[in-house]
Amino acid sequence: MFSIGEVSRRTGIKVPTVRYYEQMGLIAAPERSSGNQRRYDRNTLRRLEFIRHARELGFSLDDIRDLLRMSEGAGTPAHDDVHRIAGEHLRAVRARIERLKRLEAELTRISSCKAGTLSDCAVLETLSDHALCIGEH
Amino acid sequence: MFSIGEVSRRTGIKVPTVRYYEQMGLIAAPERSSGNQRRYDRNTLRRLEFIRHARELGFSLDDIRDLLRMSEGAGTPAHDDVHRIAGEHLRAVRARIERLKRLEAELTRISSCKAGTLSDCAVLETLSDHALCIGEH
DNA sequence: CTTGAAGCTCTAGTGGCTAGAGGAATTACA
DNA sequence: TGTAATTCCTCTAGCCACTAGAGCTTCAAG
Ligand SMILES: [Zn+2]
Ligand SMILES: [Zn+2]
Ligand SMILES: [Zn+2]
Ligand SMILES: [Zn+2]
């Protein structure tokens, strides 16, 4: 059995975040010591590692809750659902990349301003007027 | 003089957001009608257009506050400061793109799972174990 | 047995809004 | 001028995924 600090060290998830995940229903309320401190088993440790990795890959806590439920083999059409969640997330990630690339192009362009004074600065001029932009965002 | 709804229509910023910007000190508290309703002048309209465009380009409200102060020609070394803010933001955008690209590579890889069952699903296996990943994130 | 680290609960703050309640003002039209 | 529809007001609370801090209790090492 592991204390919450031990769990935190092993998973890399901060102590308050572990408690937050419990509150959010991602992990069950663990057993307690005689003095009311949380004591975790190895299963919960694995579950938290899953959560951490899924978070690193950008999944929302809602998605992770669903993925965990499926990985426990709850429903029958679960494999499709897993891929639906992953696919939607991938599409969202790609959309964010596209948006950020447009921002990057615009910011790169305006940052190349060679003016010495504020009144001719391309940054401020462009911020004042989207018509000076090369594309949408 | 424009009502807050008129301002909202002209700038594309929602009414509660305009009030929020006032609360956050991005625009001054405007004049009021005899019945206590906000009445805006053209300067504020331009200011809000600046804010909107800067938000679309991903600047934080804190950055925008600084940029607005500089565009009014407050301090002397302002042009450098403008470029420092824009440059830092550009670097942050690039870092986010890099991170998202790594996520995308990983998500693309795991989504190509051809298994028919949950127990062999590459999505769940990879989420359980970062060692199955091709890179960092 | 003492001490310091680690744990507990609870509240509040982060950013950038958005939604809703409950009421007052304005505007359009008959 | 009456009235109904629309817009406006303030205030509070919610979103996501944490994070920080106060004030207290328990645990582990020496
Ligand atoms: Zn410049
Ligand atoms: Zn633009
Ligand atoms: Zn699969
Ligand atoms: Zn990984």
Side-chain angles (χ1 to χ4, degrees), chain A residues 97-108:
Chain A
I97 290 173
E98 285 318 303
R99 167 120 206 280
L100 287 172
K101 278 184 175 171
R102 287 197 297 275
L103 294 197
E104 196 218 339
E106 211 59 58
L107 290 167
T108 300

Side-chain angles (χ1 to χ4, degrees), chain B residues 85-124:
Chain B
I85 291 174
E88 276 169 17
H89 181 48
L90 175 53
R91 255 181 291 124
V93 166
R94 284 182 175 150
R96 286 171 61 196
I97 290 173
E98 286 317 303
R99 166 123 207 281
L100 287 172
K101 277 184 175 171
R102 288 198 295 276
L103 293 198
E104 195 218 342
E106 211 59 60
L107 290 168
T108 301
R109 194 180 61 79
I110 71 182
S111 286
S112 72
C113 155
K114 296 284 183 295
T117 59
L118 273 181
S119 48
D120 297 322
C121 178
V123 177
L124 293 181

Side-chain angles (χ1 to χ4, degrees), chain A residues 110 113-118 120-124, chain B residues 79 82-83:
Chain A
I110 70 182
C113 154
K114 297 284 183 292
T117 60
L118 273 181
D120 297 322
C121 179
V123 177
L124 294 180
Chain B
H79 188 244
V82 166
H83 279 264

